[in-house]
Amino acid sequence: MRDFIAHPEHGIVWISGASSGIGRALALRLVGEGYKVAVTARSHEKLVELQAEANGLSGSIIVLDGDVTNAEDMEHVMASIEYEHGTLAMAILNAGVYLPVHAEDLNRTDFEKSFAVNLSGVVNCLLPAIRHMKAKGQGQIAIVSSVTGYGGLPTGAAYGATKAALINMAESLKFDLDKMGIRIQLVCPGFVDTPATRKNAFPMPSLVSVEEAAREIAAGLKSQAFEITFPKRFTTMLKLARLLPYSVYFTLVNRVTGWRERPPSAGRHPVTPHAAE
């Protein structure tokens, strides 16, 4: 039996972190394909701008403000979808922040905020979404992680840790969700050209635009694949790198990024969100 694939006639798509980056581009892509998309973020103004940009497309945007770190906010968003707008067919849990970590200047706040948004924020959306889908007997969930979750990379001690946790979370939940008729997928993009990645202090091979990322994700959501990852050659190389002995892995990453040659203070940059909160 084929896994459930949400089409516009099945109901609403909910995207968290939709005010910028991948989430915003994906919302526009899906609206263009005829979906009704509920968008959530803390920035009401950006969501309203997104709604206006979607005017004239075959689908529509529903603006539902909320902070993913607030569990009550996400319960209210889910209640609004269910009681005011219709059935939730798909949830794309995308909100996240990238806070670069440097060991010479560790900051507890960077870790706490990363965990709150990237990990707990997903859980806060996941619980009400699964509850709703369980009652309907079907649904589709996509958790947006990152290839940084495959293995440790420079400045990724907080961000990468949350993305690795999301990979494990999606893999573990799949066993039970399969039996409930709820399809779960894992999205692991490579480097995507966003305001956050533009501040990275190391080379970013195989960089793709947010529009290309949205196109890849939208296509993957309609496939039977568990993992949606792109660009394939780059992400496959990263997966294979994790099979190497640690001594080889660390040497390889240092060589590719040039990180070992950088002085301790090099590469610092302001805190910038990876996706909308």
Side-chain angles (χ1 to χ4, degrees):
M1 184 177 68
R2 292 173 66 85
D3 292 332
F4 173 75
I5 296 178
H7 294 289
E9 63 269 21
H10 290 129
I12 294 167
V13 177
W14 176 24
I15 303 180
S16 67
S19 63
S20 67
I22 293 173
R24 189 181 193 282
L26 183 57
L28 288 171
R29 180 86 187 184
L30 294 179
V31 170
E33 295 177 1
Y35 289 89
K36 182 181 288 188
V37 180
V39 293
T40 299
R42 295 191 308 174
S43 175
H44 176 75
E45 293 76 14
K46 290 183 179 180
L47 294 182
V48 171
E49 290 173 3
L50 172 61
Q51 186 179 47
E53 187 172 343
N55 284 340
L57 298 177
S58 54
S60 60
I61 291 282
I62 302 166
V63 172
L64 298 174
D65 300 343
D67 182 346
V68 296
T69 67
N70 187 317
E72 287 189 6
D73 271 10
M74 296 305 98
E75 291 285 352
H76 291 155
V77 167
M78 185 66 252
S80 179
I81 292 173
E82 186 171 11
Y83 296 112
E84 298 176 23
H85 302 288
T87 298
L88 176 67
M90 184 193 306
I92 302 171
L93 309 183
N94 165 76
V97 290
Y98 167 49
L99 307 181
V101 169
H102 298 267
E104 70 272 16
D105 186 23
L106 291 177
N107 186 322
R108 181 182 298 275
T109 302
D110 291 343
F111 287 92
E112 290 176 343
K113 185 170 184 179
S114 296
F115 297 159
V117 177
N118 301 355
L119 192 52
S120 294
V122 168
V123 173
N124 290 341
C125 298
L126 195 62
L127 267 58
I130 289 177
R131 187 174 63 247
H132 176 91
M133 292 176 181
K134 180 181 177 183
K136 302 296 181 182
Q138 67 180 24
Q140 185 174 355
I141 295 169
I143 293 179
V144 179
S145 180
S146 166
V147 294
T148 58
Y150 292 166
L153 295 173
T155 75
Y159 181 75
T162 64
K163 297 303 183 177
L166 292 180
I167 292 172
N168 189 287
M169 181 188 296
E171 292 170 346
S172 299
L173 287 172
K174 187 178 189 309
F175 295 102
D176 288 333
L177 293 180
D178 280 351
K179 296 186 290 185
M180 296 162 59
I182 301 172
R183 182 177 179 217
I184 188 166
Q185 290 176 285
L186 175 67
V187 182
C188 289
F191 291 110
V192 179
D193 186 14
T194 66
T197 57
R198 287 173 203 144
K199 295 179 180 294
N200 275 337
F202 52 84
M204 294 179 288
S206 304
L207 186 70
V208 301
S209 67
V210 290
E211 291 78 16
E212 184 176 350
R215 184 168 62 251
E216 291 278 359
I217 295 170
L221 293 171
K222 299 175 187 66
S223 75
Q224 290 292 313
F226 168 69
E227 185 183 30
I228 303 168
T229 182
F230 55 89
K232 284 292 198 305
R233 180 177 296 181
F234 174 63
T235 59
T236 299
M237 287 175 58
L238 281 180
K239 281 188 175 184
L240 292 174
R242 290 305 291 127
L243 300 177
L244 298 171
Y246 274 123
S247 58
V248 179
Y249 174 77
F250 291 130
T251 299
L252 178 63
V253 172
N254 270 317
R255 182 175 301 166
V256 170
T257 63
W259 200 256
R260 194 173 185 92
E261 285 69 43
R262 295 175 182 271
S265 60
R268 297 189 184 208
H269 50 269
V271 168
T272 310
H274 166 69
E277 290 180 56

